[in-house]
Amino acid sequence: MRRTVLAVALATGVALSATSTLAQTIKVGVINTYSGPQASLGDQIDKGIQLYLKKNEGSLPAGVKIELVRRDDTGPNPEVAIRLAQELIVREKVQFITGVVWTPVAAALAKVVDQAKVPLVLANASAAMLPTLSPWVTRMSLSMWHAGYPLGQWAARNGLGRVYTAVSDYTPGHDSEQAFTKGYVDNGGVIAGSVRMPLQNPDFVPFLQRIKDAKPDAVFAFLPAGRQATAFMKAFGDLGLSSAGIKLIGTGDIVTDEELPNMGQTPLGVITAFHYSAAADRPENKEFVAAWKQEFGPTSTPNYMSVGGWDAMGAIVEAIKAQNGKVTAEKSLELLRNWKNAASPRGPVSIDPSTGDIVQNVYIRRTEMRDGALANIEFETFPQVKDPWKELNKKK
Amino acid sequence: MATDGTVRPSLAGAEVVSASLARHRFRPLEGLVWLAMLAGYWLWPEYRPLGSQIFIMCLFVLSLDIVVGYAGIVTLGHAAFFGVGAYTAGLTAIHLSNEPFLGLLTAAVAAGLVGILSGLIVLRTTGLTLMMLTLAIVFVLHEAANKLGSVTGGSDGLQGVTVAPILGLWSLDFFGQTAYIYTGAVLFLGWLFARILVGSPFGRSIVGIRENLVRMRAIGSPVRLRLLVVYGISATMAGIAGALLTQTTQFVSLSAITFTRSGEALIMLILGGVGRLYGAFVGAPIYMLMQDALAKYNPVFWTFWIGLMLVLTVMFARNGVLGLVDSVLAWRRRAA
């Protein structure tokens, strides 16, 4: 008897929580990487989420409160994340799940939320196919193709010549290599060669020496944001590729805002494509960065993950407000899939209702010295880019 | 069947014989473990998903105990077999059939084969060299899985794994009830097998090799073959654990095949008690429940408490929790 009762309670738990009509505390599950070597990534997202909530809590309907239930997936560990999601949904009765640094975690969670009918709002995780896995998934970050493909188009238009691609040897690296190559070659560019560098403890010198010997006009690089990109940048400068006249271009990952101070002078003049730069002049961004520095200290700099967290929380808060606190899963999903924000720190963004993926400006930036520090200065805009991968595969 | 590996009872060896027989007898305490597991199903229905993951780790740690605890092969590379099992089960489900038992079978065979093949190289060495080699095998296989993106999905993970209902009746749903029973049942069979194995003459000869390699050689025991067989058996078991993980999460990622996983399993084993068969059943739940509780309390700093617990274990409970229980019991007996 007890068992049946429990089973029924469990089976309906999700539905119940979704239809509860009392204006009360709404729980939002955050599955994020809080421990281990990659904790700094999760930290950026977490701060973005918290900052948004802090700044906008007051705008919630009277009597409605948001409670964040934070859980640590310990890194790209889908089995842990799946368990946490089950727990968040069944035990904590969360009505949204957000966070998610890693693609494998997002892919695994897509299955869970598809069964449980809980909206999953990705604040990072950038494999192109993710939002196609379930209608319950929306993405507020980017697709790997968002940066690589427009950069290829830009490079071809500006006659960058023979480009050598150098990417980390794992799936996001493969994706950005393909994206750039597609954008570049389809528009008349020439690839001089390509190399994939190991992800674990790489020594970049032999790869860069080989590239230098091939004498390309430019190098396209993708590495996981953080220490690796910094090491690559240092080796690029030390081996004298810049002084040999070889340009460096890449996705924004190689010059993330918070790593720039660690990179020395090499990034000067590096051209990257990305959807967010902390140095952008938009008033929304200035306000965002100022609020960030006030909250987390003047040495802390937000990066694209922080903005992912900020916008993910923003979309959730908007969905709750639009329903006046009486949240149902279906309505939330509909609102999320039609979410628009003209005033995101990264410029106007919206969700493409047909794919659940983000539509955003992609900026071409040059790394320059500004106020005594390196900064990524946007100088050209690809307005409102839909994920090129899905667009290209749709046409086929 | 007294194989040449067993220590033959001497004239005064009646006690040895009865002790050996006692090893085969099931004690009521052992039933308690399984009753607790069954009771857990009803007592904490919301924890069934965690329960099934604990069972999977139990099976994996148990397989590790066979090589580390019984055969004395200190390996850091057991996750290699876990990962091979996980990927094999996933690929079987995608390309062949999503029948769960077939997945377990192919995973077992593949992991066993990799175990035997790597054992051929690894078991030629001992001590530090052996540890380094086992470590190398995890790294090589991890990198292979990363590189073969078209087969394994690389770092994005293997998509599209589905699992047919078990015995055509129970599907692995999101609330984890089927998973709990399914993984629990496989763990039970694994435990039964391991128990018979370590109590068998073959198992005793493995312990003999651990205790005194030279003497075992001298009495004509085929040492290397024995070790290879036990290594293969353990790899098979680890592969089955990996397959269970794939089937319950319907996803495989590179994290299945990392050194971290080997290390964690070793920590659980040391925590529970090495070479005791039940070390796995104590260490894995303690570790995972603590992780669950601590990470909930503070998602950022929980690793500190796990670390502290390990330091304390190594300092004050060298033989793990079970060893601690033993010494307390012995102390009370002496005091009485």
Side-chain angles (χ1 to χ4, degrees):
Chain A
M1 183 57 204
R2 179 178 153 74
R3 190 188 159 202
T4 357
V5 171
L6 277 171
V8 171
L10 279 174
T12 51
V14 180
L16 274 179
S17 68
T19 51
S20 62
T21 46
L22 281 170
Q24 15 66 344
T25 304
I26 291 163
K27 287 188 177 180
V28 176
V30 184
I31 295 181
N32 203 354
T33 301
Y34 290 109
S35 70
Q38 322 282 358
S40 64
L41 305 178
D43 186 50
Q44 288 279 353
I45 295 180
D46 197 62
K47 283 179 172 159
I49 291 175
Q50 300 221 17
L51 187 62
Y52 188 91
L53 201 54
K54 193 170 176 197
K55 292 275 156 196
N56 295 281
E57 228 162 5
S59 71
L60 287 167
V64 176
K65 267 175 61 188
I66 294 180
E67 184 190 337
L68 297 178
V69 189
R70 295 146 84 221
R71 292 287 184 268
D72 178 19
D73 65 13
T74 72
N77 292 318
E79 84 271 14
V80 177
I82 289 177
R83 195 186 80 218
L84 296 174
Q86 286 167 328
E87 195 187 294
L88 284 172
I89 294 165
V90 176
R91 228 183 297 164
E92 301 287 345
K93 315 229 183 304
V94 299
Q95 286 168 294
F96 300 88
I97 296 180
T98 184
V100 188
V101 178
W102 307 99
T103 289
V105 167
L109 289 185
K111 275 194 170 171
V112 177
V113 297
D114 198 56
Q115 274 189 45
K117 313 233 173 298
V118 173
L120 172 65
V121 186
L122 301 175
N124 192 49
S126 47
M129 84 304 173
L130 283 175
T132 64
L133 294 178
S134 160
W136 290 90
V137 180
T138 47
R139 170 157 61 189
M140 304 292 161
S141 52
L142 78 163
S143 146
M144 284 315 298
W145 284 64
H146 262 125
Y149 188 76
L151 184 65
Q153 293 173 308
W154 179 89
R157 213 184 294 151
N158 288 276
L160 239 60
R162 296 166 62 251
V163 177
Y164 210 106
T165 66
V167 299
S168 287
D169 197 358
Y170 74 132
T171 323
H174 305 168
D175 283 354
S176 56
E177 179 193 284
Q178 278 169 20
F180 174 80
T181 308
K182 179 94 181 139
Y184 195 49
V185 173
D186 281 5
N187 292 291
V190 180
I191 297 291
S194 50
V195 63
R196 291 175 175 184
M197 305 169 292
L199 190 62
Q200 308 285 347
N201 311 312
D203 174 10
F204 297 111
V205 173
F207 298 103
L208 285 168
Q209 188 60 50
R210 201 164 108 199
I211 293 173
K212 193 181 176 190
D213 295 343
K215 296 193 172 52
D217 297 304
V219 174
F220 166 84
F222 167 85
L223 298 106
R227 259 175 263 151
Q228 285 224 14
T230 309
F232 179 84
M233 199 61 82
K234 287 199 168 133
F236 194 90
D238 292 347
L239 278 173
L241 273 83
S242 330
S243 40
I246 301 172
K247 288 202 189 75
L248 180 60
I249 59 174
T251 65
D253 303 84
I254 61 171
V255 284
T256 46
D257 300 300
E258 86 286 6
E259 276 292 322
L260 277 178
N262 308 328
M263 289 185 169
Q265 297 296 310
T266 317
L268 274 177
V270 170
I271 288 174
T272 48
F274 222 33
H275 59 295
Y276 179 71
S277 160
D281 286 323
R282 284 177 297 280
E284 297 87 8
N285 183 54
K286 294 222 140 150
E287 204 179 304
F288 170 68
V289 175
W292 181 280
K293 297 217 179 253
Q294 195 196 344
E295 185 74 21
F296 305 115
T299 51
S300 175
T301 308
N303 71 3
Y304 69 101
M305 294 207 176
S306 332
V307 175
W310 170 276
D311 277 336
M313 200 63 223
I316 291 172
V317 167
E318 288 304 318
I320 293 170
K321 270 167 37 181
Q323 297 175 80
N324 206 14
K326 300 179 180 66
V327 175
T328 69
E330 283 75 17
K331 188 72 191 153
S332 298
L333 185 68
E334 194 195 315
L335 288 163
L336 286 170
R337 288 184 79 92
N338 289 288
W339 176 77
K340 277 186 185 60
N341 182 6
S344 166
R346 56 182 135 163
V349 288
S350 61
I351 294 295
D352 179 354
S354 62
T355 61
D357 212 344
I358 191 130
V359 183
Q360 59 191 342
N361 289 350
V362 174
Y363 305 98
I364 308 292
R365 311 100 46 92
R366 190 181 291 109
T367 309
E368 291 169 12
M369 207 51 116
R370 183 199 263 185
D371 303 332
L374 290 172
N376 296 311
I377 309 298
E378 298 165 357
F379 65 91
E380 201 175 320
T381 306
F382 283 73
Q384 299 301 296
V385 180
K386 289 185 177 185
D387 171 31
W389 181 80
K390 282 194 225 64
E391 295 299 307
L392 288 166
N393 286 316
K394 201 156 60 181
K395 276 171 206 152
K396 267 178 205 166
Chain B
M1 52 168 246
T3 52
D4 43 3
T6 36
V7 182
R8 282 168 190 281
S10 64
L11 284 178
E15 274 174 30
V16 178
V17 174
S18 71
S20 156
L21 284 177
R23 253 197 302 275
H24 292 278
R25 223 171 286 134
F26 287 91
R27 279 161 296 179
L29 205 61
E30 294 179 278
L32 217 65
V33 174
W34 300 101
L35 273 180
M37 276 174 50
L38 262 180
Y41 179 84
W42 285 285
L43 286 179
W44 298 286
E46 291 169 342
Y47 284 88
R48 283 173 200 158
L50 178 61
S52 68
Q53 295 220 318
I54 291 179
F55 295 162
I56 292 169
M57 277 318 272
C58 276
L59 185 62
F60 182 43
V61 176
L62 182 62
S63 77
L64 185 65
D65 197 17
I66 293 177
V67 282
V68 176
Y70 286 89
I73 306 166
V74 181
T75 165
L76 293 175
H78 227 51
F81 313 126
F82 187 89
V84 167
Y87 274 107
T88 311
L91 292 170
T92 307
I94 292 173
H95 300 295
L96 215 60
S97 144
N98 63 357
E99 166 56 41
F101 293 114
L102 183 71
L104 288 189
L105 186 71
T106 52
V109 171
L113 275 178
V114 174
I116 299 275
L117 288 177
S118 64
L120 281 173
I121 309 163
V122 168
L123 296 175
R124 288 174 178 276
T125 61
T126 52
L128 271 181
T129 328
L130 186 141
M131 278 165 76
M132 296 309 288
L133 276 177
T134 55
L135 203 54
I137 285 170
V138 185
F139 284 135
V140 167
L141 288 178
H142 177 92
E143 206 45 45
N146 179 28
K147 286 254 188 188
L148 290 172
S150 54
V151 183
T152 61
S155 67
D156 282 355
L158 187 62
Q159 318 271 345
V161 179
T162 55
V163 183
I166 288 150
L167 300 173
L169 291 175
W170 299 282
S171 55
L172 289 158
D173 65 347
F174 147 83
F175 297 103
Q177 22 198 354
T178 313
Y180 191 95
I181 301 286
Y182 177 53
T183 51
V186 176
L187 174 62
F188 180 76
L189 293 177
W191 164 82
L192 207 61
F193 175 78
R195 198 181 185 286
I196 294 170
L197 179 81
V198 298
S200 72
F202 173 79
R204 300 329 293 169
S205 76
I206 296 296
V207 175
I209 292 170
R210 179 192 73 195
E211 290 298 318
N212 196 331
L213 186 109
V214 178
R215 182 180 284 182
M216 288 304 280
R217 272 214 187 98
I219 62 173
S221 172
V223 168
R224 186 166 295 160
L225 182 70
R226 289 266 155 95
L227 288 180
L228 191 63
V229 169
V230 82
Y231 198 67
I233 288 174
S234 166
T236 308
M237 226 159 132
I240 292 175
L244 287 178
L245 183 72
T246 300
Q247 294 178 346
T248 50
T249 58
Q250 313 202 353
F251 193 83
V252 195
S253 81
L254 285 178
S255 71
I257 197 162
T258 50
F259 160 65
T260 325
R261 192 176 290 277
S262 301
E264 243 176 23
L266 210 53
I267 289 171
M268 291 177 196
L269 182 58
I270 292 167
L271 193 64
V274 182
R276 299 166 155 269
L277 206 57
Y278 282 97
F281 292 83
V282 174
I286 289 185
Y287 184 93
M288 292 179 74
L289 288 173
M290 275 193 77
Q291 172 176 348
D292 188 62
L294 290 173
K296 209 170 290 165
Y297 170 68
N298 186 333
V300 183
F301 296 114
W302 62 271
T303 37
F304 169 79
W305 298 107
I306 295 267
L308 186 69
M309 179 181 74
L310 282 178
V311 172
L312 293 179
T313 310
V314 177
M315 282 176 71
F316 300 111
R318 282 283 170 87
N319 298 315
V321 173
L322 287 180
L324 198 66
V325 171
D326 270 0
S327 33
V328 169
L329 288 180
W331 175 78
R332 280 196 51 186
R333 227 174 286 134
R334 243 179 295 131

